[in-house]
Amino acid sequence: MPVTAVVGAQYGDEGKGRIVDWLAQRADMVIRYQGGDNAGHTVMNEFGKFALHMVPSGVFNPVATCIVGPGAVVNPDNLLDELAHIEAANVPTTNLFVSERAHVVMPYHPLIDGLEEEARSGRDKIGTTKRGIGPAYADKARRVGIRMGDILRPEYLRARLENVLPDKNKEIVSLGGEPLTIEFLMERAASWREKLGHRIVDTMPLVQHAVQADHSVLLEGQLGVMRDLDWGTYPFVTSSNPLAGYASIGAGMPPTAITHVIGVVKAYSTAVGAGPFPVELLDAAGEKLREIGLEYGATTGRKRRCGWFDGVAIRHAAWLNGFTGIAITKLDVLDTFEEVKICTGYRLGDKVLTHVPDTPVYELVEPIYETWPGWMASTREARQWDDLPKHARLFLRRLSELVGVKIQFVSVGAEREELIVM
Ligand code: GDP
Ligand code: IMO
Ligand code: MG
């Protein structure tokens, strides 16, 4: 049985949630391997419509085990809110476990994230979600992080906080915020222990057993390649690695256990937050993509920047992830465009680039487009390849050719069944 990583191939919001939800109907285990509640993974199914932030999109399969892996960072209060919301829709959540090694997004992290973002001026603003993700991963790397397992050991936690909090408070005060007390944090932790304690476990034996017993396992990534800490548009990136290479670390299995990597690819491009985005359309076509595609952030509600499909960025993603297949989403959003464009290169002065350069150069490039005829017909009812209009099939073939891998899914709507399975 396969171990399949499902990863974002662009800037995030490609539709990972809806693809994982579909695949998870046949999965035994679903693991979120990185990121935190900066994610907004939209799932629409018989239970309703959900924007999942931390809970794996496999939660709607009652027999699948869902795991928040050691590579993720967890805000316990937000996780509890999310669980309450899901449970209110009669979705059982007893099979959800959180790795004791996952780091905690502590109350000081969103505080610092917000204050730091406000202190950044003009061009330096990253446009983070202010969920504390960057500060939590920074503490992990500085070896001053608090881990989920620490919540279960109050004495150990107090000692760690006594060591860490003075520095955090200095930082908060220097940014103009109010310091926090150990007692406040210990009280929060006591409440998390009571409500979440039974879910915090060593997830490694569960994962190891699933892989060794040949169970079907999904690894759910957050965001996409262009926001990867190493391979995205640094510093306008998130503070973890959405790339498939990190999935083994963030889930807890050897890289050779991963048998499939599905890249989730939107039929056009969107990005939330700052940084270079060469294909961005600041005209009526961009506005039309946003309005039809409902391109507003699932976590922050911000307008997503919109543009045509970027074939250069997608080759970058395909190489770095080693996709074995792709899921193309939101094809239906292009149904009423008379023509659709694909970026196949970047112009930099008198040169043509066919790869993604480092950020300061990336800021300067201009996209080179090829234009394809639109299909001017609804694709939403299509359930098989042959149901699609001819020009839609030609466009999809061209995208697949640029990525260099076969299409496994074409999504033509947000609902679970609005999908063509190849
Ligand atoms: P994720 O973060 O990658 O899971 O993606 P988001 O959920 O943030 O954004 C994708 C948005 O597109 C959500 O509002 C989905 O409901 C919606 N969506 C997903 N697939 C399709 C599709 O094929 N067509 C349309 N029209 N909407 C889709
Ligand atoms: P999903 O999982 C889109 C963006 C922010 C910002 C950068 C860093 O739904 O694809 P962070 O809060 O992570 O420090 O912000 O990353 N960003 C997202 N953009 N979808 C998301 O999640 C995002 N999570 C973070 O806008 O540019
Ligand atoms: Mg999203």
Side-chain angles (χ1 to χ4, degrees), residues 1-3 27-31 64-67 203-219 251-254 257:
M1 292 285 268
V3 176
D28 300 300
M29 180 175 276
V30 184
I31 311 173
T65 302
C66 283
I67 289 181
T203 52
M204 221 261 270
L206 297 174
V207 174
Q208 191 174 23
H209 172 260
V211 173
Q212 288 177 339
D214 228 13
H215 290 173
S216 170
V217 179
L218 292 176
L219 309 177
M253 63 178 66

Side-chain angles (χ1 to χ4, degrees), residues 7-8 12-20 38-44 49-52 57 220-223 264 266 268 270 292-299 304 328-333 380 410-415 418-419:
V7 302
D13 305 325
E14 299 90 350
K16 298 173 290 291
R18 70 96 69 237
I19 296 296
V20 172
N38 48 346
H41 292 182
T42 313
V43 173
M44 288 165 83
K49 178 178 177 177
F50 303 85
L52 299 175
S57 305
E220 179 176 4
Q222 189 247 334
L223 256 170
V264 185
K266 206 181 275 196
Y268 51 97
T270 64
I292 299 177
L294 302 174
E295 296 296 355
Y296 297 87
T299 299
R304 292 177 182 151
I328 298 184
T329 61
K330 306 194 88 160
L331 181 70
D332 56 298
V333 174
R380 283 197 79 150
V410 180
S411 174
V412 291
E415 297 277 353
E418 290 178 314
L419 192 69

